[in-house]
Amino acid sequence: MPDYLDDLHLAHVLADAADAATTARFQALDLKVETKPDMTPVSEADKAAEELIRGRLQRARPRDAVLGEEYGIEGTGPRRWVIDPIDGTKNYVRGVPVWATLISLMEAGEGGYQPVVGVVSAPALGRRWWAAKGHGAFTGRNLTSATRIHVSRVGKLADASFAYSSLSGWEERDRLDGFLDLSRQVWRTRAYGDFWPYMMVAEGSVDICAEPELSLWDMAANAIIVTEAGGTFTGLDGRPGPHSGDAAASNGLLHDELLGYLNPRP
């Protein structure tokens, strides 16, 4: 089995470059922001970071395909880098420090492309998380200054911390009743949003999290980090991995109950 460590090292180099570009424009008074056709914002920093990552990948991995939020898919083949240049753009443009660059390498295999490397870098929080298939999940400043992370061992919903992004998406998809029922059963709920709940599941400070509408670039890096930390990452339909258009992540012990509450009931 490939060890993916060279790819992981490259992902860190890409994240370092993206961090420099995004932090340079964070809270800039002249930051340019546009509205995309799906009515979500995109800043000049989103575009610049993705262009930077794509350029470096073209030089370092010219045979690999690249899929990014801002510029779509380029290339073909069994290896595909998946990029979200700024996950949490709404936070970024408002000066909220909860945003990150998400970088994942996916490989074609049984069941389609699956993530084998993931880096989530949140420079405004001073945090970074990463994983490579078969090597575990870590947090730290860099590869040589790292702490291995593991999901929690909380086994009862009554003791669990549940994180989410917002209420509106659950209501739009006729899942709000189950969401509210779940929130009443757990010990604590917090709407941290975006990448952060998944990283907290991976490091054991949150036990379950879920979102009702996502794209592949929102999930690929998160999925490998959660699973390498010993957790479970699926769609709300229970399908493993980041392919369902929505996500549920947990320490594994609470996953079936999580899905049971968040799926529409007859």
Side-chain angles (χ1 to χ4, degrees), residues 133-159:
K133 185 177 180 180
H135 290 278
F138 296 84
T139 187
R141 293 189 177 275
N142 52 56
L143 284 166
T144 58
S145 176
T147 301
R148 189 160 187 170
I149 55 177
H150 301 273
V151 296
S152 75
R153 300 300 300 167
V154 172
K156 295 181 180 179
L157 279 181
D159 299 325

mmCIF file of all heavy atoms in Angstrom, residues 133-159:
data_model
loop_
_atom_site.group_PDB
_atom_site.id
_atom_site.type_symbol
_atom_site.label_atom_id
_atom_site.label_comp_id
_atom_site.label_asym_id
_atom_site.label_seq_id
_atom_site.Cartn_x
_atom_site.Cartn_y
_atom_site.Cartn_z
ATOM 1 N N LYS A 133 -3.719 8.179 4.808
ATOM 2 C CA LYS A 133 -4.297 6.853 4.974
ATOM 3 C C LYS A 133 -3.294 5.888 5.597
ATOM 4 O O LYS A 133 -2.168 5.730 5.113
ATOM 5 C CB LYS A 133 -4.758 6.317 3.618
ATOM 6 C CG LYS A 133 -5.483 4.991 3.698
ATOM 7 C CD LYS A 133 -5.982 4.558 2.330
ATOM 8 C CE LYS A 133 -6.706 3.219 2.409
ATOM 9 N NZ LYS A 133 -7.196 2.797 1.074
ATOM 10 N N GLY A 134 -3.706 5.290 6.697
ATOM 11 C CA GLY A 134 -2.871 4.308 7.368
ATOM 12 C C GLY A 134 -1.860 4.880 8.337
ATOM 13 O O GLY A 134 -1.126 4.121 8.980
ATOM 14 N N HIS A 135 -1.840 6.207 8.488
ATOM 15 C CA HIS A 135 -0.824 6.842 9.335
ATOM 16 C C HIS A 135 -1.406 7.614 10.517
ATOM 17 O O HIS A 135 -0.649 8.216 11.281
ATOM 18 C CB HIS A 135 0.046 7.777 8.492
ATOM 19 C CG HIS A 135 0.949 7.059 7.546
ATOM 20 N ND1 HIS A 135 2.160 6.520 7.930
ATOM 21 C CD2 HIS A 135 0.799 6.766 6.236
ATOM 22 C CE1 HIS A 135 2.728 5.940 6.889
ATOM 23 N NE2 HIS A 135 1.921 6.064 5.848
ATOM 24 N N GLY A 136 -2.727 7.626 10.686
ATOM 25 C CA GLY A 136 -3.330 8.348 11.792
ATOM 26 C C GLY A 136 -3.553 9.823 11.479
ATOM 27 O O GLY A 136 -3.219 10.312 10.396
ATOM 28 N N ALA A 137 -4.116 10.520 12.442
ATOM 29 C CA ALA A 137 -4.441 11.943 12.303
ATOM 30 C C ALA A 137 -3.685 12.749 13.351
ATOM 31 O O ALA A 137 -3.460 12.271 14.470
ATOM 32 C CB ALA A 137 -5.946 12.158 12.470
ATOM 33 N N PHE A 138 -3.336 13.980 12.978
ATOM 34 C CA PHE A 138 -2.471 14.795 13.820
ATOM 35 C C PHE A 138 -2.909 16.258 13.798
ATOM 36 O O PHE A 138 -3.593 16.713 12.884
ATOM 37 C CB PHE A 138 -1.025 14.706 13.331
ATOM 38 C CG PHE A 138 -0.425 13.342 13.432
ATOM 39 C CD1 PHE A 138 -0.643 12.399 12.435
ATOM 40 C CD2 PHE A 138 0.347 12.982 14.533
ATOM 41 C CE1 PHE A 138 -0.106 11.128 12.524
ATOM 42 C CE2 PHE A 138 0.889 11.712 14.632
ATOM 43 C CZ PHE A 138 0.664 10.784 13.633
ATOM 44 N N THR A 139 -2.477 16.985 14.808
ATOM 45 C CA THR A 139 -2.604 18.432 14.820
ATOM 46 C C THR A 139 -1.289 19.022 15.302
ATOM 47 O O THR A 139 -0.545 18.375 16.044
ATOM 48 C CB THR A 139 -3.763 18.899 15.726
ATOM 49 O OG1 THR A 139 -3.943 20.315 15.577
ATOM 50 C CG2 THR A 139 -3.503 18.584 17.192
ATOM 51 N N GLY A 140 -1.009 20.229 14.847
ATOM 52 C CA GLY A 140 0.234 20.884 15.232
ATOM 53 C C GLY A 140 0.581 21.977 14.251
ATOM 54 O O GLY A 140 -0.201 22.295 13.345
ATOM 55 N N ARG A 141 1.756 22.532 14.405
ATOM 56 C CA ARG A 141 2.192 23.611 13.511
ATOM 57 C C ARG A 141 2.762 23.067 12.207
ATOM 58 O O ARG A 141 2.668 23.702 11.160
ATOM 59 C CB ARG A 141 3.230 24.490 14.205
ATOM 60 C CG ARG A 141 2.655 25.274 15.381
ATOM 61 C CD ARG A 141 3.644 26.292 15.897
ATOM 62 N NE ARG A 141 3.045 27.079 16.972
ATOM 63 C CZ ARG A 141 2.305 28.153 16.771
ATOM 64 N NH1 ARG A 141 2.059 28.570 15.544
ATOM 65 N NH2 ARG A 141 1.803 28.820 17.786
ATOM 66 N N ASN A 142 3.372 21.886 12.260
ATOM 67 C CA ASN A 142 3.944 21.293 11.060
ATOM 68 C C ASN A 142 4.193 19.805 11.316
ATOM 69 O O ASN A 142 3.905 19.304 12.411
ATOM 70 C CB ASN A 142 5.246 22.006 10.661
ATOM 71 C CG ASN A 142 6.233 22.089 11.810
ATOM 72 O OD1 ASN A 142 6.604 21.068 12.398
ATOM 73 N ND2 ASN A 142 6.660 23.304 12.156
ATOM 74 N N LEU A 143 4.729 19.118 10.310
ATOM 75 C CA LEU A 143 4.911 17.676 10.404
ATOM 76 C C LEU A 143 5.853 17.252 11.526
ATOM 77 O O LEU A 143 5.726 16.158 12.078
ATOM 78 C CB LEU A 143 5.434 17.139 9.068
ATOM 79 C CG LEU A 143 4.390 17.034 7.954
ATOM 80 C CD1 LEU A 143 5.085 16.833 6.613
ATOM 81 C CD2 LEU A 143 3.412 15.915 8.228
ATOM 82 N N THR A 144 6.802 18.112 11.875
ATOM 83 C CA THR A 144 7.774 17.749 12.907
ATOM 84 C C THR A 144 7.367 18.237 14.299
ATOM 85 O O THR A 144 8.046 17.942 15.277
ATOM 86 C CB THR A 144 9.165 18.317 12.556
ATOM 87 O OG1 THR A 144 9.075 19.739 12.433
ATOM 88 C CG2 THR A 144 9.674 17.714 11.259
ATOM 89 N N SER A 145 6.279 19.001 14.365
ATOM 90 C CA SER A 145 5.784 19.476 15.655
ATOM 91 C C SER A 145 4.298 19.141 15.734
ATOM 92 O O SER A 145 3.441 19.979 15.478
ATOM 93 C CB SER A 145 5.994 20.990 15.796
ATOM 94 O OG SER A 145 5.447 21.466 17.003
ATOM 95 N N ALA A 146 4.005 17.879 16.051
ATOM 96 C CA ALA A 146 2.644 17.374 15.911
ATOM 97 C C ALA A 146 2.239 16.506 17.082
ATOM 98 O O ALA A 146 3.067 15.863 17.730
ATOM 99 C CB ALA A 146 2.528 16.574 14.619
ATOM 100 N N THR A 147 0.928 16.474 17.320
ATOM 101 C CA THR A 147 0.335 15.623 18.332
ATOM 102 C C THR A 147 -0.716 14.746 17.672
ATOM 103 O O THR A 147 -1.582 15.259 16.947
ATOM 104 C CB THR A 147 -0.329 16.464 19.434
ATOM 105 O OG1 THR A 147 0.641 17.324 20.035
ATOM 106 C CG2 THR A 147 -0.958 15.564 20.505
ATOM 107 N N ARG A 148 -0.639 13.447 17.918
ATOM 108 C CA ARG A 148 -1.642 12.553 17.342
ATOM 109 C C ARG A 148 -2.979 12.783 18.034
ATOM 110 O O ARG A 148 -3.034 13.023 19.246
ATOM 111 C CB ARG A 148 -1.206 11.102 17.482
ATOM 112 C CG ARG A 148 -2.096 10.141 16.715
ATOM 113 C CD ARG A 148 -1.437 8.826 16.442
ATOM 114 N NE ARG A 148 -2.258 8.002 15.567
ATOM 115 C CZ ARG A 148 -1.840 6.878 15.002
ATOM 116 N NH1 ARG A 148 -0.602 6.436 15.230
ATOM 117 N NH2 ARG A 148 -2.637 6.174 14.206
ATOM 118 N N ILE A 149 -4.063 12.719 17.258
ATOM 119 C CA ILE A 149 -5.396 12.974 17.812
ATOM 120 C C ILE A 149 -6.275 11.739 17.649
ATOM 121 O O ILE A 149 -6.084 10.921 16.749
ATOM 122 C CB ILE A 149 -6.063 14.198 17.158
ATOM 123 C CG1 ILE A 149 -6.115 14.057 15.629
ATOM 124 C CG2 ILE A 149 -5.339 15.473 17.553
ATOM 125 C CD1 ILE A 149 -6.839 15.206 14.923
ATOM 126 N N HIS A 150 -7.258 11.633 18.565
ATOM 127 C CA HIS A 150 -8.183 10.511 18.573
ATOM 128 C C HIS A 150 -9.574 11.021 18.932
ATOM 129 O O HIS A 150 -9.718 11.986 19.682
ATOM 130 C CB HIS A 150 -7.767 9.462 19.611
ATOM 131 C CG HIS A 150 -6.395 8.909 19.397
ATOM 132 N ND1 HIS A 150 -6.144 7.840 18.570
ATOM 133 C CD2 HIS A 150 -5.194 9.286 19.909
ATOM 134 C CE1 HIS A 150 -4.856 7.579 18.583
ATOM 135 N NE2 HIS A 150 -4.249 8.444 19.382
ATOM 136 N N VAL A 151 -10.584 10.349 18.416
ATOM 137 C CA VAL A 151 -11.956 10.681 18.773
ATOM 138 C C VAL A 151 -12.224 10.311 20.228
ATOM 139 O O VAL A 151 -11.450 9.589 20.858
ATOM 140 C CB VAL A 151 -12.958 9.956 17.850
ATOM 141 C CG1 VAL A 151 -12.805 10.431 16.413
ATOM 142 C CG2 VAL A 151 -12.795 8.437 17.937
ATOM 143 N N SER A 152 -13.344 10.809 20.744
ATOM 144 C CA SER A 152 -13.714 10.549 22.130
ATOM 145 C C SER A 152 -14.242 9.129 22.305
ATOM 146 O O SER A 152 -14.490 8.411 21.333
ATOM 147 C CB SER A 152 -14.796 11.539 22.567
ATOM 148 O OG SER A 152 -16.056 11.185 21.993
ATOM 149 N N ARG A 153 -14.444 8.752 23.545
ATOM 150 C CA ARG A 153 -15.043 7.455 23.869
ATOM 151 C C ARG A 153 -16.428 7.617 24.493
ATOM 152 O O ARG A 153 -16.943 6.695 25.121
ATOM 153 C CB ARG A 153 -14.132 6.682 24.839
ATOM 154 C CG ARG A 153 -12.740 6.386 24.294
ATOM 155 C CD ARG A 153 -12.778 5.542 23.032
ATOM 156 N NE ARG A 153 -13.419 4.245 23.263
ATOM 157 C CZ ARG A 153 -13.807 3.416 22.298
ATOM 158 N NH1 ARG A 153 -13.650 3.776 21.030
ATOM 159 N NH2 ARG A 153 -14.362 2.262 22.579
ATOM 160 N N VAL A 154 -17.032 8.757 24.314
ATOM 161 C CA VAL A 154 -18.383 8.992 24.843
ATOM 162 C C VAL A 154 -19.363 8.049 24.147
ATOM 163 O O VAL A 154 -19.435 8.015 22.913
ATOM 164 C CB VAL A 154 -18.803 10.457 24.624
ATOM 165 C CG1 VAL A 154 -20.270 10.670 24.993
ATOM 166 C CG2 VAL A 154 -17.912 11.383 25.440
ATOM 167 N N GLY A 155 -20.110 7.302 24.926
ATOM 168 C CA GLY A 155 -20.967 6.275 24.364
ATOM 169 C C GLY A 155 -22.451 6.503 24.550
ATOM 170 O O GLY A 155 -23.254 5.677 24.113
ATOM 171 N N LYS A 156 -22.829 7.608 25.181
ATOM 172 C CA LYS A 156 -24.249 7.899 25.406
ATOM 173 C C LYS A 156 -24.576 9.281 24.878
ATOM 174 O O LYS A 156 -23.828 10.237 25.118
ATOM 175 C CB LYS A 156 -24.578 7.829 26.894
ATOM 176 C CG LYS A 156 -24.425 6.450 27.519
ATOM 177 C CD LYS A 156 -24.798 6.497 28.995
ATOM 178 C CE LYS A 156 -24.661 5.131 29.643
ATOM 179 N NZ LYS A 156 -25.011 5.174 31.085
ATOM 180 N N LEU A 157 -25.691 9.400 24.186
ATOM 181 C CA LEU A 157 -26.105 10.708 23.676
ATOM 182 C C LEU A 157 -26.254 11.726 24.796
ATOM 183 O O LEU A 157 -25.959 12.910 24.620
ATOM 184 C CB LEU A 157 -27.435 10.592 22.918
ATOM 185 C CG LEU A 157 -27.374 10.108 21.468
ATOM 186 C CD1 LEU A 157 -28.787 10.082 20.887
ATOM 187 C CD2 LEU A 157 -26.475 10.990 20.626
ATOM 188 N N ALA A 158 -26.711 11.274 25.951
ATOM 189 C CA ALA A 158 -26.915 12.194 27.068
ATOM 190 C C ALA A 158 -25.614 12.835 27.533
ATOM 191 O O ALA A 158 -25.630 13.878 28.196
ATOM 192 C CB ALA A 158 -27.582 11.461 28.234
ATOM 193 N N ASP A 159 -24.489 12.243 27.168
ATOM 194 C CA ASP A 159 -23.183 12.783 27.554
ATOM 195 C C ASP A 159 -22.466 13.454 26.383
ATOM 196 O O ASP A 159 -21.328 13.908 26.530
ATOM 197 C CB ASP A 159 -22.284 11.658 28.086
ATOM 198 C CG ASP A 159 -22.869 10.988 29.313
ATOM 199 O OD1 ASP A 159 -23.514 11.688 30.115
ATOM 200 O OD2 ASP A 159 -22.688 9.760 29.450
#
